Amino acid sequence: MFYAILLVTLAVALVTSILVVRFFNEAVKKILSRIVGDDLAEAWRKYMSFAIVVVGVSGGVRIWDLEKFVPNGRESALELNGVRWTIQIYRTVIDTLSQIAWVMLLFFLCTMVAYVIMRAVEARANERNGKTPE
């Protein structure tokens, strides 16, 4: 039964991560196009998608939490009934989304700082050329 819960939580975390990647795909693409340009945006978007999936799966599948369903000689394993399945799946979804939220927050904070720096550099360049900022 341990293998079943492990595979189900892995599948749930993977599907959740892929759905989040698809949801944020266009926003990440636009931000990266503005920050790093169209040439590098696609490569960075692929890396960001990979990072989201890896962090989501590693955060959603909590092995140390699933170990209580494995019998270990001294203590008996917990029984996997319908309520525990539901709790584990719910926990997997919430933990996956939580870890992805941290990655996305970090990404958006870094890109916001980069955007502000770019705007400041552009404003200085426009001042030197005698243009008014937009």
Side-chain angles (χ1 to χ4, degrees):
M1 205 47 130
F2 169 76
Y3 295 113
I5 191 78
L6 177 63
L7 290 175
V8 167
T9 56
L10 179 64
V12 167
L14 189 61
V15 167
T16 304
S17 298
I18 290 171
L19 288 175
V20 170
V21 165
R22 295 184 109 211
F23 182 77
F24 283 105
N25 190 32
E26 196 61 33
V28 169
K29 184 178 178 180
K30 286 180 182 178
I31 290 169
L32 289 173
S33 291
R34 173 73 172 126
I35 302 286
V36 298
D38 291 330
D39 297 339
L40 294 173
E42 185 62 22
W44 278 89
R45 186 197 55 79
K46 286 180 182 179
Y47 171 73
M48 189 63 195
S49 299
F50 173 73
I52 290 171
V53 170
V54 169
V55 168
V57 170
S58 67
V61 181
R62 300 179 337 170
I63 297 297
W64 61 91
D65 196 38
L66 297 177
E67 286 178 355
K68 61 187 170 192
F69 300 112
V70 177
N72 66 6
R74 295 173 295 212
E75 302 171 9
S76 63
L78 291 176
E79 176 189 347
L80 273 170
N81 55 24
V83 172
R84 288 201 178 106
W85 273 94
T86 304
I87 290 171
Q88 287 301 319
I89 291 171
Y90 176 77
R91 215 180 255 168
T92 299
V93 171
I94 294 301
D95 290 343
T96 301
L97 292 174
S98 174
Q99 294 301 311
I100 291 173
W102 281 109
V103 168
M104 296 303 289
L105 177 65
L106 182 64
F107 170 74
F108 286 119
L109 285 175
C110 291
T111 54
M112 185 172 39
V113 169
Y115 181 76
V116 168
I117 291 170
M118 284 179 52
R119 294 288 290 186
V121 168
E122 288 172 357
R124 270 198 193 156
N126 287 338
E127 285 177 8
R128 287 183 188 156
N129 294 335
K131 297 179 184 176
T132 59
E134 297 176 13

